[in-house]
Amino acid sequence: MAYFLLKTEPSDYNLDLLEKSKTAFWDGVANNLAIKHLKTIQKGDLCFIYHTGNEKAIVGLAKAISLPKEDEAKGWGVDVSFEKRYSKPITLSEIKADKNFEGFDLVRNSRLSVMPVPPPYLEVLLNKYL
DNA sequence: GCCAACGTTGGC
DNA sequence: GCCAACGTTGGC
């Protein structure tokens, strides 16, 4: 079971909406590298939800409940279910300030919208921040 | 609002 | 196939 990070601009779509609807098709993945990462998601994998814009923080967790798929109108995406909201979001500034996250895609490539969270970074997130 | 860091497009 | 011009994303 792997972990990923999914970005969203909260004015477009956000964790509140996912919590209300319980499940959603997480769509609109267009970037080539993002699609490549998306396609490696397995059913049951967990996905950190990151809000861009004013928030710039990991705000919660979702779970992939389908395999990645391409919708004719909505592009690439994956079905997800709401898992949890973090009482204390993990901010980008915290992550950037922490040397443990050096090399993490979130820090290295700010424009990437779907990325894996490899074990070293995952452990720090789970043990130190959550 | 600006701009760096990408990605995409289209002329050649 | 190259690359200049343009468009987009997202942090600042």
Side-chain angles (χ1 to χ4, degrees), chain A residues 13-108:
Chain A
Y13 189 76
N14 57 58
L15 191 68
D16 293 341
L17 293 170
L18 180 60
E19 186 170 17
K20 272 177 209 151
S21 63
K22 309 291 186 225
T23 68
F25 180 49
W26 192 277
D27 62 11
V29 181
N31 173 278
N32 232 280
L33 184 56
I35 291 172
K36 190 182 146 199
H37 290 318
L38 180 85
K39 284 179 175 172
T40 66
I41 295 179
Q42 299 292 310
K43 203 171 162 179
D45 283 349
L46 293 170
C47 304
F48 293 110
I49 302 301
Y50 177 91
H51 283 176
T52 61
N54 293 330
E55 296 187 39
K56 294 188 282 293
I58 295 172
V59 292
L61 191 69
K63 181 162 73 180
I65 54 172
S66 76
L67 285 173
K69 57 194 175 183
E70 188 177 19
D71 180 273
E72 206 174 304
K74 297 176 176 175
W76 276 96
V78 63
D79 288 320
V80 296
S81 64
F82 176 83
E83 284 295 308
K84 62 177 77 168
R85 169 187 306 279
Y86 297 130
S87 53
K88 189 179 173 298
I90 309 167
T91 66
L92 180 63
S93 57
E94 284 180 286
I95 289 170
K96 280 195 157 176
D98 190 333
K99 282 227 163 68
N100 289 309
F101 291 113
E102 261 177 19
F104 185 27
D105 283 345
L106 187 68
V107 175
R108 250 194 19 224

